[in-house]
Amino acid sequence: MQVIQLQDVTRVYKIGEVETHALRGVTLTVETGEFSALVGPSGSGKTTMLQLMGCLDRPTSGSVYVNDQDVTRLKPNQRADLRKGTIGFVFQFFALIPGLTAYENVELPLLLTGEKSKARRERVHELLEAVGLADRARHRPDQMSGGEQQRVAIARALATRPLLILADEPTANLDTDNGRQVMEIMQRLNAETGTTFVFATHDPRVVSFARRVIELRDGRVTENNQHA
Amino acid sequence: MFRLWKIAYRDLGRNRRRSVLTMAAVALGLALVLVLASLSRGAIEAALKNSIRLDTGHVQVRAASYDAEKVSLAWEDLLDDPQEFAARAQALEGVVAASPVLWASGILETRDQTISVKVVGIDPLSEAYAPFREGLVAGKFLAPDDRSGLLVGQRLAHNLGLAVGGRVSLLANTADGQPDEAVFAIRGLYDTGIPYYDETTVFLPLAKAQAFTRTAGRASAIFILARHKEATETIAEALRAPGLNVLTWRDLNEIMLQASAMSASILNLMNLVVLAVVAIVIANTLLMSVFERTREMGILAALGMKGRQILLMVLLEAGMLGLAGIVLGLLVGGLSVAYFATAGLYVGAEVTSTATSAILAYGDTIYARFSLPDAASSAIAALAITLLASLYPAWLAARMEPIEALRAL
């Protein structure tokens, strides 16, 4: 089953008089349960592609389908609704809300989907357990290491049991050990839950975790390898 | 159920110092507005009460041709047979006291000073002059048949260096337009607490005043005190007759009421300025908070929060800050008002004995007067202004594009 389908997608940014072509006619399909790396040098269009897949942005031309639904022309509120239950994000910077504890950060998407208190509590504990941070539930981001914060971010991304998790350079700000740990957790959760993961990276060690590698160069897909 | 308020509440805890300072600004602003409004209300109500009690009464009946400005003593401008009229008024429902009064303008002379005064001829036994009788601080009150006694304010006596038993020369206008002069003994000194009256008014028994001014048993007016202000119109209506001018406390205190209305609108303007300053503080706090949290807004949007939810979240933050500030402000303001209502705010006799007191009969101490509708409307205004001030920051936060917001580092 297709989670994401991009059909001849272009994205042009216009800054003043200058036009930047971030994506040039990309057609791509992501299937359920994939664990895929999006690779390419800086400026190749990785982040733009993740933002389009994540319904954070709209293509200049072409169509984006999420779970067989054409999301290209959805209004901002409809896109927000879609993101809420279907897509989880892990960002390069450890995008936790500073004043909230690890527990509260993971709880946030569940508050947004209106989950009941008991179900919320159970889910948050389950996820913190899954990322090995059950004992850090009451810690705020500034009391945790980068690796721990990123694991909380992964737990948060998984909170609403989304179909798809998009991670933009999830290990870029982590040392080798923490980076590996984060990737192992993502890999395990992918295997255990069947959640689709697409992560952008240009770290070869991270790429080695992927079962599929999609290579981007100058806004075009140049390689589309299936590893396993 | 989606609980935005929970997120908003947690946001407030993140920069506690800023939240507390903003809340304090709301609280202080509201407390200030409450105290100012209560002091103003207290001053105005007391001034009106004093004016009615000591000067105008609730109703006055005068001859239609009487000109208060000129303090006329011409027979045709006075009431004939005032005792009979007063007795009739006294019998009316709701009347506490009805008493003839004669006014003349005079000059009090000692060896080295002269001072112009309002000479008031009164029935010393009438209930209408209870405030002066109760305010007696030295000597004794006038007797109806006293032919040479004078009751003066303590402040006036002090200014002229007079004491009980002392003698003073009084020059007054008379019915035929020629002034007359006589020497009187100071029988007693009174203190009403209203410096303006105490410095400008001297009392004679009515009979002596009538004889002195050659008005032959006539009076300038019938002075009527009602049990309640509300009874005024009924009493006035019952006394209206051709050739008579029946005035109520509203007519007699018109300038004071106008001055009160004006001071109320000036106060409203001041309140508005105070609340506008509070609004700027809130808008500034929230703007800073929104700008600092641009990336967070992006994260929240990425997690699926809608623009209007982000707007609502910022408004909720402002609302909580506002409400906490209002509760604190009501507490601080309420306690301050309670203090000023009992201890009063001493403004000094020098302030209140000046010419303005001729319009507003202030005592030397202003007692705050709490009003629930005032407090409620101030609190609502404070909340409304808080929310209004937060609209712009909230709107800014709501219209951020997620990808733009996420880019901010």
Side-chain angles (χ1 to χ4, degrees), chain A residues 101-104 106 124-140 143-145 147-149 151-152 155 181 185:
Chain A
T101 62
Y103 180 96
E104 289 164 342
V106 179
V124 174
H125 283 305
E126 177 190 330
L127 285 165
L128 285 175
E129 192 84 40
V131 296
L133 289 174
D135 57 336
R136 310 291 267 168
R138 301 285 155 215
H139 288 65
R140 286 197 310 271
Q143 297 165 323
M144 291 186 282
S145 72
E148 287 172 333
Q149 288 185 51
R151 279 145 66 192
V152 174
Q181 210 177 1
I185 288 173

PDB file of all heavy atoms in Angstrom, chain A residues 101-104 106 124-140 143-145 147-149 151-152 155 181 185:
ATOM      1  N   THR A 101       8.085  18.858  30.319  1.00  0.00           N
ATOM      2  CA  THR A 101       8.908  17.682  30.617  1.00  0.00           C
ATOM      3  C   THR A 101       8.853  16.714  29.444  1.00  0.00           C
ATOM      4  O   THR A 101       8.050  16.892  28.520  1.00  0.00           O
ATOM      5  CB  THR A 101       8.366  16.954  31.857  1.00  0.00           C
ATOM      6  OG1 THR A 101       7.039  16.517  31.561  1.00  0.00           O
ATOM      7  CG2 THR A 101       8.343  17.843  33.087  1.00  0.00           C
ATOM      8  N   ALA A 102       9.709  15.708  29.507  1.00  0.00           N
ATOM      9  CA  ALA A 102       9.716  14.670  28.468  1.00  0.00           C
ATOM     10  C   ALA A 102       8.313  14.086  28.333  1.00  0.00           C
ATOM     11  O   ALA A 102       7.775  13.947  27.234  1.00  0.00           O
ATOM     12  CB  ALA A 102      10.709  13.591  28.846  1.00  0.00           C
ATOM     13  N   TYR A 103       7.712  13.794  29.490  1.00  0.00           N
ATOM     14  CA  TYR A 103       6.364  13.225  29.513  1.00  0.00           C
ATOM     15  C   TYR A 103       5.385  14.156  28.794  1.00  0.00           C
ATOM     16  O   TYR A 103       4.610  13.726  27.923  1.00  0.00           O
ATOM     17  CB  TYR A 103       5.943  13.016  30.971  1.00  0.00           C
ATOM     18  CG  TYR A 103       4.562  12.431  31.133  1.00  0.00           C
ATOM     19  CD1 TYR A 103       4.382  11.063  31.316  1.00  0.00           C
ATOM     20  CD2 TYR A 103       3.427  13.242  31.097  1.00  0.00           C
ATOM     21  CE1 TYR A 103       3.120  10.524  31.455  1.00  0.00           C
ATOM     22  CE2 TYR A 103       2.168  12.719  31.225  1.00  0.00           C
ATOM     23  CZ  TYR A 103       2.012  11.359  31.413  1.00  0.00           C
ATOM     24  OH  TYR A 103       0.765  10.833  31.547  1.00  0.00           O
ATOM     25  N   GLU A 104       5.444  15.441  29.161  1.00  0.00           N
ATOM     26  CA  GLU A 104       4.483  16.398  28.598  1.00  0.00           C
ATOM     27  C   GLU A 104       4.700  16.615  27.105  1.00  0.00           C
ATOM     28  O   GLU A 104       3.744  16.824  26.351  1.00  0.00           O
ATOM     29  CB  GLU A 104       4.584  17.729  29.352  1.00  0.00           C
ATOM     30  CG  GLU A 104       4.038  17.633  30.765  1.00  0.00           C
ATOM     31  CD  GLU A 104       4.460  18.793  31.654  1.00  0.00           C
ATOM     32  OE1 GLU A 104       5.428  19.498  31.315  1.00  0.00           O
ATOM     33  OE2 GLU A 104       3.815  18.982  32.701  1.00  0.00           O
ATOM     34  N   VAL A 106       5.773  14.369  24.994  1.00  0.00           N
ATOM     35  CA  VAL A 106       5.220  13.202  24.289  1.00  0.00           C
ATOM     36  C   VAL A 106       3.685  13.250  24.329  1.00  0.00           C
ATOM     37  O   VAL A 106       3.002  12.833  23.399  1.00  0.00           O
ATOM     38  CB  VAL A 106       5.750  11.887  24.915  1.00  0.00           C
ATOM     39  CG1 VAL A 106       5.157  10.677  24.216  1.00  0.00           C
ATOM     40  CG2 VAL A 106       7.275  11.850  24.827  1.00  0.00           C
ATOM     41  N   VAL A 124       1.989   7.391  26.741  1.00  0.00           N
ATOM     42  CA  VAL A 124       3.232   8.129  26.988  1.00  0.00           C
ATOM     43  C   VAL A 124       4.237   7.218  27.691  1.00  0.00           C
ATOM     44  O   VAL A 124       5.412   7.150  27.304  1.00  0.00           O
ATOM     45  CB  VAL A 124       2.971   9.402  27.822  1.00  0.00           C
ATOM     46  CG1 VAL A 124       4.288  10.080  28.195  1.00  0.00           C
ATOM     47  CG2 VAL A 124       2.092  10.370  27.050  1.00  0.00           C
ATOM     48  N   HIS A 125       3.773   6.470  28.695  1.00  0.00           N
ATOM     49  CA  HIS A 125       4.682   5.575  29.414  1.00  0.00           C
ATOM     50  C   HIS A 125       5.222   4.496  28.488  1.00  0.00           C
ATOM     51  O   HIS A 125       6.404   4.184  28.500  1.00  0.00           O
ATOM     52  CB  HIS A 125       3.970   4.951  30.625  1.00  0.00           C
ATOM     53  CG  HIS A 125       3.855   5.919  31.759  1.00  0.00           C
ATOM     54  ND1 HIS A 125       4.951   6.571  32.293  1.00  0.00           N
ATOM     55  CD2 HIS A 125       2.789   6.389  32.455  1.00  0.00           C
ATOM     56  CE1 HIS A 125       4.564   7.370  33.263  1.00  0.00           C
ATOM     57  NE2 HIS A 125       3.241   7.295  33.382  1.00  0.00           N
ATOM     58  N   GLU A 126       4.350   3.965  27.673  1.00  0.00           N
ATOM     59  CA  GLU A 126       4.734   2.917  26.722  1.00  0.00           C
ATOM     60  C   GLU A 126       5.832   3.427  25.777  1.00  0.00           C
ATOM     61  O   GLU A 126       6.833   2.751  25.531  1.00  0.00           O
ATOM     62  CB  GLU A 126       3.466   2.520  25.946  1.00  0.00           C
ATOM     63  CG  GLU A 126       3.642   1.493  24.865  1.00  0.00           C
ATOM     64  CD  GLU A 126       2.352   1.390  24.024  1.00  0.00           C
ATOM     65  OE1 GLU A 126       1.254   1.631  24.568  1.00  0.00           O
ATOM     66  OE2 GLU A 126       2.469   1.093  22.821  1.00  0.00           O
ATOM     67  N   LEU A 127       5.636   4.659  25.284  1.00  0.00           N
ATOM     68  CA  LEU A 127       6.589   5.213  24.320  1.00  0.00           C
ATOM     69  C   LEU A 127       7.923   5.567  24.976  1.00  0.00           C
ATOM     70  O   LEU A 127       8.987   5.319  24.405  1.00  0.00           O
ATOM     71  CB  LEU A 127       5.992   6.452  23.641  1.00  0.00           C
ATOM     72  CG  LEU A 127       4.918   6.131  22.600  1.00  0.00           C
ATOM     73  CD1 LEU A 127       4.125   7.374  22.252  1.00  0.00           C
ATOM     74  CD2 LEU A 127       5.570   5.559  21.346  1.00  0.00           C
ATOM     75  N   LEU A 128       7.844   6.156  26.175  1.00  0.00           N
ATOM     76  CA  LEU A 128       9.100   6.502  26.860  1.00  0.00           C
ATOM     77  C   LEU A 128       9.874   5.227  27.187  1.00  0.00           C
ATOM     78  O   LEU A 128      11.105   5.199  27.105  1.00  0.00           O
ATOM     79  CB  LEU A 128       8.806   7.324  28.126  1.00  0.00           C
ATOM     80  CG  LEU A 128       8.399   8.784  27.871  1.00  0.00           C
ATOM     81  CD1 LEU A 128       8.011   9.474  29.167  1.00  0.00           C
ATOM     82  CD2 LEU A 128       9.514   9.567  27.175  1.00  0.00           C
ATOM     83  N   GLU A 129       9.136   4.194  27.507  1.00  0.00           N
ATOM     84  CA  GLU A 129       9.740   2.887  27.742  1.00  0.00           C
ATOM     85  C   GLU A 129      10.431   2.418  26.461  1.00  0.00           C
ATOM     86  O   GLU A 129      11.577   1.971  26.474  1.00  0.00           O
ATOM     87  CB  GLU A 129       8.619   1.905  28.120  1.00  0.00           C
ATOM     88  CG  GLU A 129       9.067   0.572  28.682  1.00  0.00           C
ATOM     89  CD  GLU A 129       9.339   0.659  30.178  1.00  0.00           C
ATOM     90  OE1 GLU A 129       8.562   1.339  30.893  1.00  0.00           O
ATOM     91  OE2 GLU A 129      10.331   0.066  30.603  1.00  0.00           O
ATOM     92  N   ALA A 130       9.724   2.547  25.349  1.00  0.00           N
ATOM     93  CA  ALA A 130      10.225   2.066  24.061  1.00  0.00           C
ATOM     94  C   ALA A 130      11.509   2.769  23.639  1.00  0.00           C
ATOM     95  O   ALA A 130      12.364   2.168  22.977  1.00  0.00           O
ATOM     96  CB  ALA A 130       9.148   2.245  22.992  1.00  0.00           C
ATOM     97  N   VAL A 131      11.646   4.047  24.002  1.00  0.00           N
ATOM     98  CA  VAL A 131      12.879   4.759  23.623  1.00  0.00           C
ATOM     99  C   VAL A 131      13.886   4.758  24.778  1.00  0.00           C
ATOM    100  O   VAL A 131      14.891   5.467  24.752  1.00  0.00           O
ATOM    101  CB  VAL A 131      12.604   6.209  23.147  1.00  0.00           C
ATOM    102  CG1 VAL A 131      11.767   6.215  21.887  1.00  0.00           C
ATOM    103  CG2 VAL A 131      11.933   7.039  24.246  1.00  0.00           C
ATOM    104  N   GLY A 132      13.601   3.975  25.819  1.00  0.00           N
ATOM    105  CA  GLY A 132      14.534   3.793  26.933  1.00  0.00           C
ATOM    106  C   GLY A 132      14.652   4.990  27.852  1.00  0.00           C
ATOM    107  O   GLY A 132      15.697   5.231  28.440  1.00  0.00           O
ATOM    108  N   LEU A 133      13.580   5.760  27.977  1.00  0.00           N
ATOM    109  CA  LEU A 133      13.657   6.969  28.803  1.00  0.00           C
ATOM    110  C   LEU A 133      12.571   7.015  29.883  1.00  0.00           C
ATOM    111  O   LEU A 133      12.180   8.096  30.325  1.00  0.00           O
ATOM    112  CB  LEU A 133      13.546   8.226  27.918  1.00  0.00           C
ATOM    113  CG  LEU A 133      14.753   8.521  27.040  1.00  0.00           C
ATOM    114  CD1 LEU A 133      14.448   9.690  26.118  1.00  0.00           C
ATOM    115  CD2 LEU A 133      15.989   8.833  27.879  1.00  0.00           C
ATOM    116  N   ALA A 134      12.114   5.840  30.302  1.00  0.00           N
ATOM    117  CA  ALA A 134      11.046   5.801  31.293  1.00  0.00           C
ATOM    118  C   ALA A 134      11.438   6.568  32.557  1.00  0.00           C
ATOM    119  O   ALA A 134      10.608   7.230  33.177  1.00  0.00           O
ATOM    120  CB  ALA A 134      10.706   4.360  31.637  1.00  0.00           C
ATOM    121  N   ASP A 135      12.735   6.504  32.896  1.00  0.00           N
ATOM    122  CA  ASP A 135      13.176   7.171  34.130  1.00  0.00           C
ATOM    123  C   ASP A 135      13.410   8.670  33.946  1.00  0.00           C
ATOM    124  O   ASP A 135      13.736   9.371  34.888  1.00  0.00           O
ATOM    125  CB  ASP A 135      14.451   6.496  34.649  1.00  0.00           C
ATOM    126  CG  ASP A 135      15.555   6.508  33.597  1.00  0.00           C
ATOM    127  OD1 ASP A 135      15.216   6.603  32.395  1.00  0.00           O
ATOM    128  OD2 ASP A 135      16.744   6.441  33.978  1.00  0.00           O
ATOM    129  N   ARG A 136      13.282   9.152  32.723  1.00  0.00           N
ATOM    130  CA  ARG A 136      13.533  10.579  32.469  1.00  0.00           C
ATOM    131  C   ARG A 136      12.229  11.364  32.232  1.00  0.00           C
ATOM    132  O   ARG A 136      12.267  12.511  31.805  1.00  0.00           O
ATOM    133  CB  ARG A 136      14.446  10.764  31.234  1.00  0.00           C
ATOM    134  CG  ARG A 136      15.694   9.932  31.257  1.00  0.00           C
ATOM    135  CD  ARG A 136      16.668  10.389  32.309  1.00  0.00           C
ATOM    136  NE  ARG A 136      17.619  11.335  31.758  1.00  0.00           N
ATOM    137  CZ  ARG A 136      18.440  12.063  32.504  1.00  0.00           C
ATOM    138  NH1 ARG A 136      18.369  11.972  33.832  1.00  0.00           N
ATOM    139  NH2 ARG A 136      19.283  12.908  31.960  1.00  0.00           N
ATOM    140  N   ALA A 137      11.106  10.724  32.525  1.00  0.00           N
ATOM    141  CA  ALA A 137       9.802  11.317  32.207  1.00  0.00           C
ATOM    142  C   ALA A 137       9.633  12.723  32.771  1.00  0.00           C
ATOM    143  O   ALA A 137       9.063  13.597  32.129  1.00  0.00           O
ATOM    144  CB  ALA A 137       8.684  10.413  32.725  1.00  0.00           C
ATOM    145  N   ARG A 138      10.140  12.950  33.961  1.00  0.00           N
ATOM    146  CA  ARG A 138       9.924  14.253  34.620  1.00  0.00           C
ATOM    147  C   ARG A 138      11.019  15.272  34.307  1.00  0.00           C
ATOM    148  O   ARG A 138      11.048  16.335  34.895  1.00  0.00           O
ATOM    149  CB  ARG A 138       9.820  14.065  36.143  1.00  0.00           C
ATOM    150  CG  ARG A 138       8.702  13.147  36.578  1.00  0.00           C
ATOM    151  CD  ARG A 138       7.342  13.835  36.452  1.00  0.00           C
ATOM    152  NE  ARG A 138       6.287  12.851  36.296  1.00  0.00           N
ATOM    153  CZ  ARG A 138       5.203  13.019  35.549  1.00  0.00           C
ATOM    154  NH1 ARG A 138       5.029  14.137  34.859  1.00  0.00           N
ATOM    155  NH2 ARG A 138       4.279  12.088  35.472  1.00  0.00           N
ATOM    156  N   HIS A 139      11.923  14.911  33.422  1.00  0.00           N
ATOM    157  CA  HIS A 139      13.010  15.844  33.098  1.00  0.00           C
ATOM    158  C   HIS A 139      12.600  16.780  31.966  1.00  0.00           C
ATOM    159  O   HIS A 139      11.914  16.382  31.035  1.00  0.00           O
ATOM    160  CB  HIS A 139      14.263  15.075  32.690  1.00  0.00           C
ATOM    161  CG  HIS A 139      14.928  14.392  33.843  1.00  0.00           C
ATOM    162  ND1 HIS A 139      14.329  13.364  34.537  1.00  0.00           N
ATOM    163  CD2 HIS A 139      16.132  14.603  34.432  1.00  0.00           C
ATOM    164  CE1 HIS A 139      15.138  12.964  35.512  1.00  0.00           C
ATOM    165  NE2 HIS A 139      16.247  13.705  35.481  1.00  0.00           N
ATOM    166  N   ARG A 140      13.061  18.012  32.101  1.00  0.00           N
ATOM    167  CA  ARG A 140      12.814  18.963  31.016  1.00  0.00           C
ATOM    168  C   ARG A 140      13.945  18.848  29.992  1.00  0.00           C
ATOM    169  O   ARG A 140      15.025  18.325  30.314  1.00  0.00           O
ATOM    170  CB  ARG A 140      12.751  20.385  31.584  1.00  0.00           C
ATOM    171  CG  ARG A 140      11.463  20.691  32.347  1.00  0.00           C
ATOM    172  CD  ARG A 140      11.296  22.198  32.507  1.00  0.00           C
ATOM    173  NE  ARG A 140      12.501  22.825  33.029  1.00  0.00           N
ATOM    174  CZ  ARG A 140      12.765  22.976  34.327  1.00  0.00           C
ATOM    175  NH1 ARG A 140      11.889  22.573  35.221  1.00  0.00           N
ATOM    176  NH2 ARG A 140      13.879  23.551  34.720  1.00  0.00           N
ATOM    177  N   GLN A 143      17.475  19.391  30.822  1.00  0.00           N
ATOM    178  CA  GLN A 143      18.097  18.469  31.787  1.00  0.00           C
ATOM    179  C   GLN A 143      18.477  17.145  31.121  1.00  0.00           C
ATOM    180  O   GLN A 143      18.838  16.198  31.801  1.00  0.00           O
ATOM    181  CB  GLN A 143      17.109  18.202  32.942  1.00  0.00           C
ATOM    182  CG  GLN A 143      16.778  19.467  33.733  1.00  0.00           C
ATOM    183  CD  GLN A 143      15.552  19.283  34.614  1.00  0.00           C
ATOM    184  OE1 GLN A 143      14.596  18.619  34.234  1.00  0.00           O
ATOM    185  NE2 GLN A 143      15.592  19.879  35.792  1.00  0.00           N
ATOM    186  N   MET A 144      18.348  17.120  29.782  1.00  0.00           N
ATOM    187  CA  MET A 144      18.635  15.867  29.064  1.00  0.00           C
ATOM    188  C   MET A 144      19.723  16.105  28.015  1.00  0.00           C
ATOM    189  O   MET A 144      19.918  17.232  27.540  1.00  0.00           O
ATOM    190  CB  MET A 144      17.364  15.369  28.367  1.00  0.00           C
ATOM    191  CG  MET A 144      16.302  14.879  29.355  1.00  0.00           C
ATOM    192  SD  MET A 144      14.885  14.143  28.535  1.00  0.00           S
ATOM    193  CE  MET A 144      14.012  15.577  27.999  1.00  0.00           C
ATOM    194  N   SER A 145      20.409  15.022  27.641  1.00  0.00           N
ATOM    195  CA  SER A 145      21.427  15.130  26.590  1.00  0.00           C
ATOM    196  C   SER A 145      20.729  15.232  25.231  1.00  0.00           C
ATOM    197  O   SER A 145      19.528  14.968  25.121  1.00  0.00           O
ATOM    198  CB  SER A 145      22.318  13.889  26.618  1.00  0.00           C
ATOM    199  OG  SER A 145      21.579  12.777  26.132  1.00  0.00           O
ATOM    200  N   GLY A 147      21.040  13.287  22.695  1.00  0.00           N
ATOM    201  CA  GLY A 147      20.529  11.978  22.281  1.00  0.00           C
ATOM    202  C   GLY A 147      19.204  11.673  22.956  1.00  0.00           C
ATOM    203  O   GLY A 147      18.263  11.176  22.322  1.00  0.00           O
ATOM    204  N   GLU A 148      19.145  11.990  24.242  1.00  0.00           N
ATOM    205  CA  GLU A 148      17.899  11.741  24.986  1.00  0.00           C
ATOM    206  C   GLU A 148      16.765  12.599  24.428  1.00  0.00           C
ATOM    207  O   GLU A 148      15.635  12.129  24.268  1.00  0.00           O
ATOM    208  CB  GLU A 148      18.108  12.038  26.471  1.00  0.00           C
ATOM    209  CG  GLU A 148      18.952  10.973  27.160  1.00  0.00           C
ATOM    210  CD  GLU A 148      19.336  11.361  28.590  1.00  0.00           C
ATOM    211  OE1 GLU A 148      19.423  12.577  28.881  1.00  0.00           O
ATOM    212  OE2 GLU A 148      19.537  10.465  29.396  1.00  0.00           O
ATOM    213  N   GLN A 149      17.093  13.850  24.132  1.00  0.00           N
ATOM    214  CA  GLN A 149      16.055  14.738  23.580  1.00  0.00           C
ATOM    215  C   GLN A 149      15.528  14.197  22.254  1.00  0.00           C
ATOM    216  O   GLN A 149      14.334  14.221  21.995  1.00  0.00           O
ATOM    217  CB  GLN A 149      16.632  16.146  23.368  1.00  0.00           C
ATOM    218  CG  GLN A 149      16.880  16.905  24.660  1.00  0.00           C
ATOM    219  CD  GLN A 149      17.327  18.328  24.385  1.00  0.00           C
ATOM    220  OE1 GLN A 149      16.703  19.052  23.634  1.00  0.00           O
ATOM    221  NE2 GLN A 149      18.425  18.726  25.005  1.00  0.00           N
ATOM    222  N   ARG A 151      15.466  11.151  21.327  1.00  0.00           N
ATOM    223  CA  ARG A 151      14.653   9.954  21.580  1.00  0.00           C
ATOM    224  C   ARG A 151      13.250  10.360  22.051  1.00  0.00           C
ATOM    225  O   ARG A 151      12.252   9.735  21.686  1.00  0.00           O
ATOM    226  CB  ARG A 151      15.338   9.047  22.596  1.00  0.00           C
ATOM    227  CG  ARG A 151      16.423   8.198  21.931  1.00  0.00           C
ATOM    228  CD  ARG A 151      17.611   7.953  22.814  1.00  0.00           C
ATOM    229  NE  ARG A 151      17.321   7.142  23.977  1.00  0.00           N
ATOM    230  CZ  ARG A 151      18.148   6.976  25.014  1.00  0.00           C
ATOM    231  NH1 ARG A 151      19.321   7.582  25.011  1.00  0.00           N
ATOM    232  NH2 ARG A 151      17.815   6.228  26.028  1.00  0.00           N
ATOM    233  N   VAL A 152      13.197  11.440  22.854  1.00  0.00           N
ATOM    234  CA  VAL A 152      11.881  11.955  23.265  1.00  0.00           C
ATOM    235  C   VAL A 152      11.121  12.417  22.024  1.00  0.00           C
ATOM    236  O   VAL A 152       9.917  12.164  21.876  1.00  0.00           O
ATOM    237  CB  VAL A 152      12.020  13.114  24.285  1.00  0.00           C
ATOM    238  CG1 VAL A 152      10.650  13.729  24.583  1.00  0.00           C
ATOM    239  CG2 VAL A 152      12.657  12.631  25.573  1.00  0.00           C
ATOM    240  N   ALA A 155       9.677   9.503  20.339  1.00  0.00           N
ATOM    241  CA  ALA A 155       8.501   9.035  21.080  1.00  0.00           C
ATOM    242  C   ALA A 155       7.307   9.931  20.784  1.00  0.00           C
ATOM    243  O   ALA A 155       6.182   9.456  20.580  1.00  0.00           O
ATOM    244  CB  ALA A 155       8.800   9.027  22.577  1.00  0.00           C
ATOM    245  N   GLN A 181      22.350   4.931  18.352  1.00  0.00           N
ATOM    246  CA  GLN A 181      21.267   4.534  19.253  1.00  0.00           C
ATOM    247  C   GLN A 181      19.911   5.001  18.714  1.00  0.00           C
ATOM    248  O   GLN A 181      18.923   4.247  18.697  1.00  0.00           O
ATOM    249  CB  GLN A 181      21.530   5.173  20.612  1.00  0.00           C
ATOM    250  CG  GLN A 181      20.999   4.370  21.763  1.00  0.00           C
ATOM    251  CD  GLN A 181      21.353   5.006  23.094  1.00  0.00           C
ATOM    252  OE1 GLN A 181      21.980   6.066  23.147  1.00  0.00           O
ATOM    253  NE2 GLN A 181      20.950   4.373  24.157  1.00  0.00           N
ATOM    254  N   ILE A 185      16.830   2.642  17.483  1.00  0.00           N
ATOM    255  CA  ILE A 185      15.468   2.758  18.034  1.00  0.00           C
ATOM    256  C   ILE A 185      14.451   2.909  16.903  1.00  0.00           C
ATOM    257  O   ILE A 185      13.416   2.227  16.874  1.00  0.00           O
ATOM    258  CB  ILE A 185      15.387   3.942  19.026  1.00  0.00           C
ATOM    259  CG1 ILE A 185      16.132   3.589  20.321  1.00  0.00           C
ATOM    260  CG2 ILE A 185      13.931   4.294  19.338  1.00  0.00           C
ATOM    261  CD1 ILE A 185      16.269   4.730  21.290  1.00  0.00           C
TER     262      ILE A 185
END
